[in-house]
Amino acid sequence: MKIGDKVRFISEVGGGVVSGFQGKNIVLVQDEDGFDIPMPVNDVVVIGEENYSKAHLPTAKPVANTPSPKKAKEDDDDEVDYSKVTFRAPVEERKGGNALSAYLAFVPIDIKEITHTRFECFFVNDSNYFIQYTYLAAEGNSWVLRSRGEVEPNTKEFIEEFGREDLNGLGHIAIQVLAYKRDKPFILKPTIDVQFRIDPVKFYKLHTFRENDFFEQPALLYTIVENDQVTRPLVIDAKQLKTEMYHSSEPSDKTKVSTHRNDGYVRRYDDGKQKGNPFITKRKGDEDVIIVDLHADALLDTTAGMSAGDILNHQVDVFRKTLKEYASKKGQRIIFIHGKGEGILRRALITDLSYRFKNYTYQDASFQEYGYGATQVTIR
């Protein structure tokens, strides 16, 4: 028995083409869908050419644990020629790939039906390193492992498929990464542990999904690490925030808008041509509703040099400016997306509505449309 032989299974229905071996007793059989199925050698029998076309012949694949070259007789007298699998195909590296880049990608299965489609989640490894990862979701104060695996260099790996009903369980996720190379020296990369706040509302917006280098269809990408620079998503220390949230009634100077790329201040989309409020999105088909996303990563390009209190002050400042901007439009409905989290930002908004804007009415926004963590304010 050797790579390329057509075989069928003895104890169950099925078969395929031998694509490799694992150890002495396991043969990898590639089926018609291209999946490698590990089977005991004595549970596989070689069959004639007439059952398979040449299209099913696989390319020889690397083997995890290769024994010294030898031939072994099995119970059914089939020969296993290990001399044919004593090497591992070298990894094809690309120029610039030694800087670590990895992304978490969400891809709509049918982008034309964005309000009903399900989604696929992928881990994208855009580097010359092997990456071992864990993908976790928060449940209260604990974490649940949703997936783990190894991704080969310059490839992507499917993690899971989910629907809108699962989005609230993905509100807070974490990715842990370990990168390395095999069979050659490499520059040591630090282990990576990042967390993301996934806003369910983004999955209802067509423009959220953009053209990219990794998929033929538009996708939503979250950067884990790019060119060896680890992303720094917002993770708020609730205790620290409680002590700082009312430290100053006015926003910190650090929240001033800046167009300088490396000054450490908050950067917005201001290119000198921006008109109106840059934080506001009008919902298509319903011009009576304004959506304002108050998540830090939606308002700020960077939080460098900002404390948790600075960030909160900036979010509240955007909230106040928006209400003042629409103060003359009676009946105007505004949806503020603040997230569930610890509820600190929501309490700050409710306090403002109770004292600064007491004439306005407010209520929880539609869970079906916006998930948990959104408040609707009506101008009166």
Side-chain angles (χ1 to χ4, degrees):
M1 186 184 303
K2 60 183 182 299
I3 291 177
D5 280 347
K6 285 73 174 176
V7 297
R8 64 176 176 83
F9 305 143
I10 297 174
S11 62
E12 58 183 272
V13 177
V17 182
V18 175
S19 61
F21 299 90
Q22 289 182 344
K24 297 180 179 181
N25 302 316
I26 299 298
V27 58
L28 299 177
V29 180
Q30 188 177 92
D31 65 12
E32 292 185 358
D33 295 322
F35 293 102
D36 285 341
I37 304 172
M39 294 292 293
V41 172
N42 58 9
D43 199 21
V44 172
V45 61
V46 178
I47 61 176
E49 296 279 343
E50 65 276 7
N51 293 321
Y52 289 87
S53 67
K54 290 184 178 180
H56 294 132
L57 287 175
T59 301
K61 296 188 176 181
V63 180
N65 296 306
T66 306
S68 58
K70 66 178 181 178
K71 292 184 179 180
K73 288 283 187 177
E74 300 298 327
D75 292 341
D76 59 1
D77 292 330
D78 287 333
E79 289 187 349
V80 181
D81 188 354
Y82 291 105
S83 64
K84 296 182 180 296
V85 289
T86 56
F87 69 95
R88 183 190 303 276
V91 172
E92 294 185 7
E93 297 192 345
R94 62 176 179 80
K95 185 177 180 180
N98 287 328
L100 198 62
S101 294
Y103 310 87
L104 188 67
F106 296 102
V107 183
I109 294 176
D110 185 359
I111 198 166
K112 294 181 180 179
E113 296 290 338
I114 194 63
T115 58
H116 302 98
T117 185
R118 293 177 65 81
F119 301 89
E120 292 180 330
C121 178
F122 291 84
F123 187 100
V124 178
N125 179 7
D126 189 29
S127 74
N128 294 336
Y129 282 74
F130 286 85
I131 289 181
Q132 285 193 4
Y133 73 90
T134 58
Y135 170 64
L136 310 101
E139 284 192 3
N141 295 324
S142 302
W143 292 89
V144 174
L145 178 67
R146 295 183 71 95
S147 179
R148 64 181 177 85
E150 180 186 67
V151 187
E152 295 183 357
N154 301 301
T155 61
K156 56 182 179 284
E157 178 167 300
F158 172 78
I159 294 179
E160 64 175 350
E161 179 184 323
F162 61 89
R164 296 188 185 282
E165 66 277 6
D166 304 311
L167 284 173
N168 286 313
L170 297 174
H172 188 186
I173 63 175
I175 303 288
Q176 297 172 321
V177 166
L178 174 66
Y180 53 88
K181 291 187 179 183
R182 291 177 174 170
D183 304 323
K184 64 184 300 183
F186 59 90
I187 301 298
L188 185 65
K189 304 292 184 180
T191 55
I192 296 171
D193 186 349
V194 298
Q195 298 181 28
F196 298 104
R197 295 284 186 178
I198 305 297
D199 182 2
V201 177
K202 289 185 177 181
F203 290 80
Y204 291 83
K205 300 178 181 178
L206 187 61
H207 68 266
T208 293
F209 304 94
R210 300 179 179 179
E211 299 296 327
N212 59 89
D213 295 331
F214 309 113
F215 301 90
E216 294 182 359
Q217 62 269 52
L220 169 60
L221 298 180
Y222 285 83
T223 301
I224 300 169
V225 56
E226 190 170 58
N227 294 325
D228 283 338
Q229 298 298 311
V230 180
T231 187
R232 300 289 182 184
L234 176 65
V235 180
I236 295 180
D237 184 330
K239 292 183 179 179
Q240 178 188 2
L241 187 54
K242 287 179 181 178
T243 61
E244 294 184 357
M245 62 184 295
Y246 294 116
H247 179 69
S248 172
S249 59
E250 297 299 326
S252 165
D253 287 341
K254 291 182 180 180
T255 63
K256 294 178 179 178
V257 172
S258 170
T259 57
H260 193 281
R261 298 297 297 175
N262 297 306
D263 54 10
Y265 290 102
V266 175
R267 289 184 280 108
R268 280 300 302 161
Y269 312 112
D270 186 9
D271 57 1
K273 302 177 183 178
Q274 180 75 41
K275 303 299 180 184
N277 193 327
F279 311 114
I280 290 175
T281 301
K282 287 193 175 183
R283 193 170 73 185
K284 255 187 177 180
D286 189 351
E287 296 301 319
D288 291 335
V289 177
I290 301 297
I291 301 174
V292 182
D293 191 343
L294 293 178
H295 283 95
D297 58 356
L299 300 181
L300 312 173
D301 283 354
T302 178
T303 57
M306 297 180 69
S307 68
D310 292 335
I311 295 169
L312 178 68
N313 282 330
H314 183 71
Q315 292 168 312
V316 172
D317 189 46
V318 170
F319 171 75
R320 293 170 180 170
K321 287 179 178 178
T322 302
L323 291 183
K324 290 177 181 177
E325 180 177 344
Y326 287 90
S328 62
K329 297 187 176 182
K330 306 301 182 184
Q332 176 67 62
R333 290 178 294 158
I334 307 175
I335 305 294
F336 291 97
I337 310 295
H338 46 70
K340 192 166 55 171
E342 301 290 335
I344 297 171
L345 174 58
R346 182 181 186 277
R347 288 198 295 273
L349 303 186
I350 298 306
T351 298
D352 257 23
L353 288 167
S354 299
Y355 294 97
R356 287 176 177 258
F357 305 97
K358 62 178 75 176
N359 293 331
Y360 299 167
T361 60
Y362 64 91
Q363 64 188 65
D364 289 338
S366 168
F367 166 72
Q368 184 176 2
E369 290 188 73
Y370 305 101
Y372 291 114
T375 297
Q376 176 179 300
V377 178
T378 303
I379 305 297
R380 298 298 185 190

